[in-house]
Amino acid sequence: MSDVPFGFGPHDPDNEEPDDRNRGDSSDGGSGGGAGFSGGAGSFPGFGGMPGPGGMPGSGGMPNFDISALGQMLTQLGQALSHSSSGESGPVNYDLAKQLAHQQLQTNKHTERPTQQQTKAIEDGIQLAELWLDPTTAFPTGTHVVRSWSARDWVDNTLPTWKRLCDPVAERVSEAWLEALPDEAKQAAGPIVSMLGQMGGLTFGSQLGNGLAQLGGEVLTSTDVGLPLGPDGTAALLPANIERFGEGLDRPASEVTVFLAAREAAHHRLFSHVPWLRQRLLATVEEYARGIHVDTSALEDLASKVDPSDPNSMQELMNSGMLEPRTTDEQQAALTRLETLLALVEGWVDVVVADAVGERLPGADALSETVRRRRATGGPAEQTFATLVGLQLRPRRLRAAASLWRLLTERYGVTSRDRIWDHPDLLPDGSDLDEPLDFADRWGQSHEDLDDPIAAIRRAEAAEQAGQSGSEDSADEERGEDDDR
């Protein structure tokens, strides 16, 4: 596998802003998860340290091999294999993912439980943010429950949504490999095919667990990746992560909490009152997954590339990217639509929150810039979609979307702007983000039709009658010319 959980694409520096390219990975970003069976950080427990031939003492292999590590490795291997017979079926072993995420959070000391004081501050922050948001959006509150989560709570409460996101991709990858095998190989494999499916579930589970552990130690809210990952109507903030996020910002902790509470509440207003939005986002991921296919020529070369006497040759082949699924034109179109939709969500939230807190929080502009930089240098949103579907959430798209929403707000007001979310066909597309003035002009006419549908029907009828009248005049002229001839 590659260095991202589902093997669908490395970080693309061309998608970063020029000022951010030399920043490297910040403390808020990272690789977005480890590589399964790679021996790198976040790899499948025990497998990375497995010695190759000659690795045992006296064999002339690795002289520094620690024999005491062998027992630990075998124990971890036994635990992993026990998951394959635990009764869970499916393309991803979520029991393993959850266990690994909990273990890594414990190892990384991201186990702080919210205090009563932190919980009260978050509840007050959400309540205040909801009051401030009322005049800046036509959508009423979408928050019914307020929670303070630890990193472990975040993993447990978001796992059901991760299942919806990951299952289509992992299932299609597994199917694609089996479809690519020649019939003779399938018949010869026999029961091994089922075993490979279980091992694939373990591999995907380990990779998802690595990613969840990393995200759990970084995310600030339940919607920090741009999707409603938690239960419907549950606004949740992670106070321990927020405290780390606020270090060095030179802003009061209460101000940072209220700002992030406003972003969380704005996300929930949008997702709660635009019922098609959640399904559209998840369906686009599923559409991408359906297009996954495997280059069978890579499988044909496999036998010649792998040296049975050298287990490292298989590892090198997997890390080379040779066996990764290739992105088709249809998949790229799905990714583009997903990127645009996510940018529209985040851009709308940026504008609504800026209007709500701009004059009330002295550090609102600085906090907005920090969030934007965090996204640009590999924050949770960028790395989540990079590891899941190979999508880099480009900051320039976010800026363009925010500029479009700002233009619409200034021209037509809050109510008309938010009516664009009434139906997916009304939303801007990628070309509209490049030409916001054209979209704003078109929306000016469209929202007048929505306000007065009878007048719109009359205009359409008048245009149709004018077209028919013009056709009749042309026909009369042609008949007159025929008579003259």
Side-chain angles (χ1 to χ4, degrees), residues 264-468:
E264 174 77 347
H267 275 103
H268 279 283
R269 288 186 180 224
L270 184 61
F271 284 112
S272 294
H273 299 289
V274 182
W276 56 265
L277 183 56
R278 175 195 290 258
Q279 180 58 33
R280 176 60 65 93
L281 286 165
L282 298 177
T284 306
V285 176
E286 294 171 352
E287 183 180 353
Y288 172 89
R290 285 194 298 269
I292 293 173
H293 74 284
V294 176
D295 183 5
T296 56
S297 62
L299 287 176
E300 294 172 358
D301 292 339
L302 183 61
S304 62
K305 298 287 185 182
V306 176
D307 180 3
S309 65
D310 181 12
N312 290 330
S313 65
M314 175 61 79
Q315 181 65 55
E316 292 171 0
L317 182 65
M318 298 298 285
N319 288 337
S320 69
M322 175 182 174
L323 301 180
E324 291 179 4
R326 306 304 178 192
T327 301
T328 64
D329 292 340
E330 292 78 9
Q331 286 177 293
Q332 188 57 52
L335 291 180
T336 300
R337 288 193 295 273
L338 180 59
E339 178 187 56
T340 300
L341 189 53
L342 289 169
L344 289 171
V345 169
E346 289 301 294
W348 182 88
V349 169
D350 284 353
V351 169
V352 168
V353 171
D355 290 344
V357 306
E359 296 180 357
R360 296 180 172 95
L361 297 181
D365 290 341
L367 289 169
S368 297
E369 178 68 11
T370 301
V371 170
R372 187 185 68 81
R373 292 288 180 180
R374 185 169 178 257
R375 291 194 296 247
T377 55
E382 187 268 348
Q383 70 185 6
T384 297
F385 290 100
T387 56
L388 180 61
V389 293
L391 170 67
Q392 300 288 344
L393 190 58
R394 292 179 292 179
R396 70 179 181 86
R397 296 281 84 186
L398 293 175
R399 291 198 306 273
S403 297
L404 177 58
W405 290 120
R406 174 59 63 197
L407 175 63
L408 293 168
T409 305
E410 293 173 351
R411 278 199 182 187
Y412 307 116
V414 166
T415 301
S416 177
R417 176 203 67 197
D418 288 351
R419 292 185 71 177
I420 293 176
W421 293 103
D422 285 352
H423 193 277
D425 291 346
L426 298 177
L427 279 184
D429 58 23
S431 62
D432 294 324
L433 297 185
D434 297 325
E435 300 293 341
L437 290 174
D438 291 346
F439 179 84
D441 291 339
R442 293 199 308 275
W443 179 245
Q445 182 63 53
S446 299
H447 94 273
E448 290 178 4
D449 292 345
L450 291 173
D451 291 336
D452 192 353
I454 301 301
I457 293 173
R458 288 173 178 170
R459 282 196 298 270
E461 291 175 345
E464 183 178 357
Q465 291 175 356
Q468 292 176 350

